[in-house]
Amino acid sequence: MSDPSGEMRELAKKLLENGEVDRIIGWEKGNLWYQSPPLFITRAEETDRLVFDDFAINSLVTYLLDERDSGKKTGIFVKGCDSRGLVRILQDKQIARESVYVIGLPCSGKKDPRQALSSGASESSQVPPAAKCEECLYPNPVIYDVIIGEAVEAKAKGDRFAAVKEIEAKTADEKYAYWTSQYSKCLRCLACRNVCPACNCRECAFDISKPRILAKENNLSHNMVYHLTRAFHAAGRCVECGECERVCPMGIPIMQLNKKIIKEINDLFGPYEAGVKLDETPPPLGTYQTSDPEEFM
Amino acid sequence: MKRVGVFVCHCGSNIAAVVDCERVAKEAAKFPGVAFSIDNKYMCSDPGQDLIKKAVEEHHLDRIVVASCTPRMHEPVFRRATENAGINPYLFAMTNIREHVSWIHTDREKATEKAIDLVRMAVAKVLHTVPLEKSSIPITKRALVIGGGIAGMQAALDIADNGNPVVLVEREPTIGGKMPMLDKTFPSLDCSACICTPKMASTDQHPNITIYTHSEVERVDGYIGNFQVTIRQKAKYVDHKICTGCGLCETKCPNKKIPNSFEAGMGNRTAIYKAFPQAVPNKPIIDAANCRKLTKDKCGVCAKVCPTGAIKYDDQDELITIDVGAIVMATGYDLFPWKEAYGEYGYGKYPDVITGLQFERLVNASGPTSGHILRPSDGKEPKTIVFIKCVGSRDDVKGKAYCSRTCCMYTAKHAHQAVDKIEDSHVIVFYMDVRTAGKGYEEFYQRTVEDGVHYVRGRVSKIYQLGDKLIVRGEDTLLGEAVQVNADLVVLATAMVPSAGSGEIAHIVGFSTDKDGFYQEAHPKLRPLETFTAGVFLAGACQGPKDIPDTAAQGSGAAAKASAVLSNRSMETDPLISQVNDAVCAGCGVCVGICPYRAIELKEITQRAGGKTIARRVASINSGLCQGCGACVAACRSGALDLKGFTNQQIMAEVDALCL
């Protein structure tokens, strides 16, 4: 893939100069070769810092939430996975479509800084593709005002629910042992929540003190309350960007539970993918119909 | 310091036989916040209710817990008792130790422990209750009746007689429903039309009733006391204000071979037509799909012959909006589509296998044969007639599991009429059981048997045509023998099913149907004429198969219910509804789509954020529409929505009381 950085910088410069946007969110090259952290710029002369390299893996869309009351317009770069997160935020009415100028970037897969570090590699070519990119079904942005670069073909479609089948094969006791061993690792740093485009409430239920549903102490029981509640809050809304699992410092397979719920929804209500169509009819768990399945009744 | 009183009911021996109520009361006395605890034989009785009042006075209680039956039974009673004792009626919690404990458990020790736990939870919950006040909403003094059959007419007449205006919407071109199609009615054998058509005329002439025929309800918004209804008046192509109903157009219309649904397909009508001579309104409409002028722009004869110039080929559908305070559903029934299910009866390919409703037209003096029973294939009088009961009913393989209730009696009536009208006739009825629950019904059936009708217990396994005979094969299960009848005519007693489109209209009005598609009553005994949607009532066969006396009774019953709503200027609303914490609500709107009662919309608020005033949208609950189901609370991720009386905090307190 050719480097789109030049075009990105040119466009960002133009947008800031003619006042079309108040700020730009993109990526810049960090201090280390395996990091490309988010970049926030408001002046045209800073646009030369923008890059789009192998490590521009972070989704930037949740940063839009910080400015939801500012009335300012943001230019934002999105990959395919990021764009679905943007659809999520727009559908949840957290920002107005007019308040964002979306610059799409087709993406053939990114690399994970943590893998770069752990593999002992010394340059990008030695680092394998990031885990979440291996299962990518939407390499091209599903929503954009302008797109930079050629469309990328999706990789061979593997089994979207392979990881789910692994847990479904377990007995109830094995499942319990598996998940408790995973959740007992959790530090409750809340990185998975903070990075999730579906976690876009103004005030998170976990932060509300009355009633307090999540105690402050870190123990397995409360970790489970946290993870199960988080999964249910994302049910029918998870856009499968995989950011939660990527940012988890403890390597908890968060997407495995998300995908299990997605599979259940698909089984109950028919095929559904969240965050693909902005103007879709109400999603299965966001509407009431008298014909809804109610096998438990 | 909160002071809770706990009252444990024995319900006679209903609870006390399994649960040690005295021990429950003793244990409850130890729970935090409980100042007084006692058990009693019947808490719902007057002495039981007085007990609450006395205890409040003596022990200065400020919150009440009653452990007894289901809240659906007596919650209103105990709320009132709490209020009479001088406490806000919502500082009260009820826990169910009958349906949830004594009726389902047998181990006394464990059942008692469970009852103690339930009381523990109720006490924890009641400690977090806050006083709630009822609010009031104004009421539009007008009713809507959907369906103009016998149930709808009865309901409309009774509401109108009560002094309130009624709008009656009927999708057919005439009111009357199915009753005018019938010949005579069981058990008295009085003429159906003689009962029905005067009722139609009274409905039409009543100053408080406005009828919209050939119309459908397209949209219903609002809530009890304040529904906004949109009615689609379908194009009639005849200006009924000018038309005198002389009928000249009908005689001149060249398209005369259209099957008339009023004749159950046994007779024909023209493209401009009245369903039958006594139709109300007694004016024709044009059936656009079969009119040569409207489909091919040819003909136009009716306009030429009409003496008053009432024909309007450019007529359009019209939308009418009205406000009503209550709605009566009376959408009636259709017959089970037996031709799709019963291959053994020929899937409808034999012309002389007909339904009971078709038989009604054959035997009716105003029907296509002027009341002579003549079979459809060759117009000859049948001598051997077989009636088959339970076609589509009591058959969960091919039809419906339920009993259609009316077929035993109308078949008995048909059999009687056949014997009565046809000399030397031989009438055989194949039946599974004969069910004659009704005043004078069993006597009528016995009379039919005495008339010489031959009842054979067993199902018919096959019908086929041989020459001009229908060979009916079945089994007489009482004799254990195979039976064969060479019949001239076979009449099927097909089951009643909900009328076509009744599910859609239920969805539009906003209430639920049962597994068979009949309208779901709120409670079979306590609220048989109500739906779960306040202000919407049920009458007649839309709720389940019914004969005419039951249907008329329900029509009057639903009218009484609707009139009760309309009798007040305003009504109190239950405060147990959702509330929004604006500060927490993110305005995502998931609750809007999830609300079954369309009670939530987003409204704009202004607030201070980040040092300046911003405008944003948050959820807003319509207190008239909200039924307190809690679906929105479960869907709300941030917890901005909460159900008053069942707050998240109260439920957490209950869970903590049980688990910690």
Side-chain angles (χ1 to χ4, degrees):
Chain A
M1 190 175 71
S2 60
D3 181 13
S5 300
E7 244 179 290
M8 287 166 68
R9 290 169 188 172
E10 208 172 298
L11 176 62
K13 195 168 178 183
K14 200 181 84 198
L15 289 171
L16 284 170
E17 270 173 357
N18 62 21
E20 203 166 325
V21 301
D22 299 298
R23 62 165 187 168
I24 294 278
I25 310 179
W27 301 267
E28 69 175 332
K29 200 60 222 163
N31 294 332
L32 299 163
W33 63 268
Y34 52 82
Q35 279 183 344
S36 300
L39 172 69
F40 304 84
I41 48 176
T42 52
R43 289 179 298 147
E45 53 268 34
E46 292 174 309
T47 51
D48 283 349
R49 290 163 64 189
L50 284 164
V51 299
F52 187 62
D53 65 0
D54 281 353
F55 294 100
I57 190 167
N58 300 42
S59 169
L60 307 172
V61 295
T62 48
Y63 295 116
L64 291 168
L65 297 171
D66 300 338
E67 295 281 330
R68 61 185 140 192
D69 297 329
S70 70
K72 288 182 179 160
K73 183 158 181 173
T74 304
I76 190 166
F77 291 96
V78 294
K79 307 185 289 290
C81 48
D82 308 343
S83 71
R84 290 179 66 189
L86 180 61
V87 169
R88 171 82 281 131
I89 291 171
L90 289 169
Q91 284 181 332
D92 290 345
K93 303 184 180 64
Q94 295 309 301
I95 56 167
R97 180 67 184 85
E98 314 81 74
S99 74
V100 57
Y101 186 89
V102 187
I103 308 149
L105 291 165
C107 165
S108 50
K110 295 290 161 201
K111 292 175 181 178
D112 188 340
R114 218 150 358 120
Q115 265 176 302
L117 197 58
S118 63
S119 64
S122 56
E123 59 174 51
S124 179
S125 62
Q126 297 164 354
V127 184
K132 74 169 199 172
C133 300
E134 298 276 45
E135 297 169 11
C136 179
L137 295 175
Y138 288 87
N140 301 302
V142 298
I143 179 175
Y144 52 83
D145 291 308
V146 66
I147 201 155
I148 295 178
E150 294 291 308
V152 175
E153 203 159 310
K155 287 182 192 160
K157 291 187 180 174
D159 186 354
R160 187 174 166 213
F161 299 118
V164 179
K165 285 170 188 155
E166 260 172 53
I167 42 170
E168 284 177 346
K170 294 180 196 290
T171 65
D173 285 345
E174 285 167 354
K175 277 181 205 163
Y176 189 75
Y178 174 71
W179 286 114
T180 48
S181 78
Q182 294 293 350
Y183 293 146
S184 57
K185 294 191 287 191
C186 177
L187 309 171
R188 290 247 299 286
C189 66
L190 304 187
C192 52
R193 177 195 73 178
N194 295 352
V195 78
C196 176
C199 287
N200 53 38
C201 290
R202 286 181 169 257
E203 199 166 348
C204 178
F206 296 128
D207 296 338
I208 292 172
S209 56
K210 199 178 165 188
R212 176 161 280 287
I213 57 171
L214 191 64
K216 297 207 169 181
E217 79 233 52
N218 186 304
N219 62 27
L220 175 62
S221 147
H222 282 283
N223 289 352
M224 284 175 77
V225 168
Y226 169 73
H227 280 278
L228 299 182
T229 308
R230 191 210 55 75
F232 273 107
H233 282 192
R237 309 171 56 250
C238 170
V239 296
E240 299 173 73
C241 67
E243 283 287 272
C244 49
E245 193 168 308
R246 182 183 69 80
V247 300
C248 179
M250 302 312 292
I252 298 170
I254 300 172
M255 279 308 291
Q256 206 172 7
L257 184 57
N258 290 346
K259 294 234 177 183
K260 166 72 179 165
I261 293 178
I262 292 166
K263 181 165 175 268
E264 294 290 317
I265 290 170
N266 276 260
D267 290 348
L268 278 170
F269 299 95
Y272 177 68
E273 282 181 303
V276 176
K277 283 194 214 88
L278 182 60
D279 52 350
E280 65 182 351
T281 50
L285 297 190
T287 182
Y288 169 82
Q289 278 165 3
T290 45
S291 58
D292 284 340
E294 44 178 4
E295 284 144 26
F296 52 92
M297 295 287 269
Chain B
M1 188 65 192
K2 291 162 185 166
R3 295 177 64 83
V4 180
V6 176
F7 300 86
V8 183
C9 181
H10 291 216
C11 196
S13 61
N14 267 306
I15 296 170
V18 181
V19 174
D20 183 347
C21 296
E22 209 181 318
R23 201 181 126 207
V24 175
K26 271 192 189 142
E27 286 296 320
K30 302 175 195 162
F31 299 155
V34 175
F36 175 76
S37 173
I38 197 167
D39 58 307
N40 185 274
K41 200 154 184 98
Y42 290 107
M43 277 308 297
C44 59
S45 66
D46 268 354
Q49 294 184 48
D50 278 348
L51 192 62
I52 296 179
K53 202 170 178 176
K54 278 189 203 133
V56 169
E57 280 167 18
E58 283 173 28
H59 300 274
H60 310 291
L61 306 175
D62 60 9
R63 279 164 170 76
I64 302 295
V65 168
V66 176
S68 57
C69 51
T70 163
R72 286 188 68 178
M73 184 104 180
H74 282 325
E75 192 175 51
V77 170
F78 294 124
R79 268 204 210 295
R80 216 162 36 238
T82 306
E83 197 172 13
N84 289 341
I87 300 177
N88 181 289
Y90 296 93
L91 295 177
F92 161 80
M94 188 167 177
T95 190
N96 183 357
I97 59 168
R98 191 177 74 175
E99 283 85 344
H100 289 181
V101 183
S102 65
W103 281 1
I104 54 165
H105 298 304
T106 50
D107 185 321
R108 189 172 173 83
E109 179 61 29
K110 284 184 179 163
T112 304
E113 273 167 31
K114 180 172 171 183
I116 292 167
D117 277 340
L118 289 175
V119 174
R120 193 196 315 274
M121 290 164 72
V123 169
K125 182 186 175 194
V126 85
L127 288 172
H128 290 282
T129 51
V130 292
L132 299 175
E133 298 300 332
K134 290 180 173 174
S135 59
S136 84
I137 47 172
I139 285 173
T140 307
K141 287 179 173 282
R142 185 184 293 117
L144 169 72
V145 177
I146 303 179
I150 197 71
M153 289 191 296
Q154 187 68 49
L157 282 168
D158 286 1
I159 297 169
D161 283 345
N162 250 307
N164 288 307
V166 182
V167 171
L168 178 66
V169 177
E170 167 60 55
R171 71 176 165 192
E172 297 297 327
T174 173
I175 59 168
K178 297 235 174 10
M179 190 170 169
M181 298 167 75
L182 311 182
D183 177 42
K184 288 183 163 61
T185 56
F186 60 79
S188 45
L189 287 181
D190 42 4
C191 151
S192 178
C194 308
I195 298 169
C196 189
T197 51
K199 207 150 218 144
M200 290 161 64
S202 311
T203 309
D204 189 33
Q205 287 156 11
H206 202 296
N208 278 347
I209 300 179
T210 310
I211 300 176
Y212 292 100
T213 52
H214 201 46
S215 299
E216 288 188 35
V217 171
E218 191 152 288
R219 191 179 161 90
V220 175
D221 291 309
Y223 47 91
I224 181 171
N226 299 276
F227 294 106
Q228 290 92 43
V229 181
T230 306
I231 300 165
R232 177 175 291 270
Q233 168 68 69
K234 289 180 278 185
K236 292 175 172 170
Y237 305 101
V238 177
D239 187 341
H240 280 199
K241 288 194 196 82
I242 308 174
C243 172
T244 60
C246 70
L248 193 57
C249 51
E250 289 176 82
T251 58
K252 300 293 181 194
C253 178
N255 199 356
K256 295 184 193 298
K257 289 278 166 74
I258 306 159
N260 190 353
S261 60
F262 184 79
E263 301 288 4
M266 309 284 284
N268 293 333
R269 61 164 169 82
T270 44
I272 185 166
Y273 74 108
K274 287 182 293 211
F276 60 105
Q278 295 80 25
V280 171
N282 202 349
K283 291 171 184 179
I285 67 156
I286 294 178
D287 165 9
N290 287 303
C291 170
R292 290 178 192 174
K293 178 72 182 171
L294 290 169
T295 53
K296 298 184 192 129
D297 199 21
K298 288 175 183 159
C299 187
V301 165
C302 49
K304 284 179 204 136
V305 300
C306 179
T308 61
I311 307 296
K312 266 168 68 182
Y313 293 122
D314 59 350
D315 198 12
Q316 297 286 326
D317 286 8
E318 194 186 336
L319 292 179
I320 300 153
T321 311
I322 52 161
D323 292 338
V324 300
I327 299 176
V328 174
M329 303 300 301
T331 53
Y333 69 95
D334 272 328
L335 290 184
F336 178 79
W338 71 275
K339 290 180 184 178
E340 290 156 28
Y342 284 87
E344 62 265 46
Y345 304 157
Y347 288 127
K349 71 180 170 205
Y350 309 127
D352 295 331
V353 179
I354 63 173
T355 66
L357 205 53
Q358 290 175 313
F359 187 83
E360 291 285 351
R361 296 312 298 161
L362 282 186
V363 79
N364 193 315
S366 67
T369 56
S370 304
H372 300 290
I373 303 172
L374 303 174
R375 56 186 212 164
S377 61
D378 52 12
K380 283 187 192 153
E381 187 175 72
K383 289 291 175 193
T384 305
I385 305 180
V386 166
F387 290 89
I388 305 175
K389 298 211 284 191
C390 299
V391 178
S393 52
R394 301 183 71 194
D395 182 351
D396 49 10
V397 178
K398 291 190 170 169
K400 306 290 180 183
Y402 56 80
C403 165
S404 197
R405 285 191 69 199
T406 58
C407 324
C408 280
M409 286 308 296
Y410 76 64
T411 300
K413 182 196 71 178
H414 290 165
H416 166 80
Q417 286 176 308
V419 174
D420 194 40
K421 288 206 168 188
I422 303 171
E423 219 176 323
D424 311 324
S425 60
H426 184 204
V427 177
I428 303 110
V429 178
F430 282 92
Y431 72 101
M432 288 167 68
D433 292 291
V434 179
R435 295 178 172 178
T436 57
K439 204 170 177 178
Y441 288 9
E442 176 64 17
E443 296 91 320
F444 184 89
Y445 159 63
Q446 290 301 341
R447 182 177 149 196
T448 305
V449 174
E450 282 158 24
D451 286 341
V453 174
H454 190 58
Y455 271 72
V456 179
R457 191 173 201 272
R459 286 202 96 124
V460 169
S461 57
K462 187 147 187 70
I463 301 173
Y464 60 94
Q465 189 95 42
L466 196 69
D468 68 342
K469 290 281 183 190
L470 287 163
I471 312 301
V472 179
R473 283 192 170 165
E475 190 191 4
D476 185 331
T477 56
L478 295 182
L479 295 176
E481 282 174 359
V483 181
Q484 178 173 317
V485 184
N486 298 344
D488 299 310
L489 181 69
V490 175
V491 184
L492 307 178
T494 37
M496 282 188 190
V497 293
S499 66
S502 63
E504 286 77 48
I505 186 75
H507 188 64
I508 288 168
V509 181
F511 61 91
S512 50
T513 54
D514 66 20
K515 67 176 171 41
D516 295 308
F518 288 111
Y519 294 164
Q520 181 71 52
E521 68 279 3
H523 188 285
K525 298 178 189 73
L526 294 171
R527 297 165 69 194
L529 303 174
E530 293 162 63
T531 63
F532 283 114
T533 301
V536 180
F537 306 104
L538 303 176
C542 61
Q543 181 264 344
K546 250 169 226 76
D547 59 20
I548 294 165
D550 287 0
T551 296
Q554 273 210 341
S556 289
K561 284 292 193 188
S563 299
V565 171
L566 304 182
S567 66
N568 298 306
R569 270 174 201 283
S570 63
M571 66 173 299
E572 287 187 327
T573 56
D574 195 342
L576 299 178
I577 58 169
S578 275
Q579 58 186 351
V580 185
N581 182 346
D582 287 356
V584 174
C585 177
C588 73
V590 69
C591 49
V592 175
I594 222 134
C595 177
Y597 305 99
R598 288 179 261 172
I600 309 180
E601 53 187 18
L602 295 178
K603 67 164 186 193
E604 191 151 288
I605 58 159
T606 51
Q607 70 171 76
R608 295 286 294 171
K612 56 180 182 169
T613 304
I614 58 153
R616 63 186 192 92
R617 286 153 81 78
V618 296
S620 156
I621 311 284
N622 182 320
S623 65
L625 283 174
C626 177
Q627 302 287 312
C629 73
C632 57
V633 181
C636 182
R637 300 178 287 277
S638 59
L641 285 163
D642 217 351
L643 188 58
K644 288 193 249 181
F646 296 89
T647 59
N648 290 335
Q649 193 174 24
Q650 285 177 300
I651 290 165
M652 295 284 279
E654 284 188 275
V655 174
D656 284 351
L658 183 68
C659 303
L660 289 185

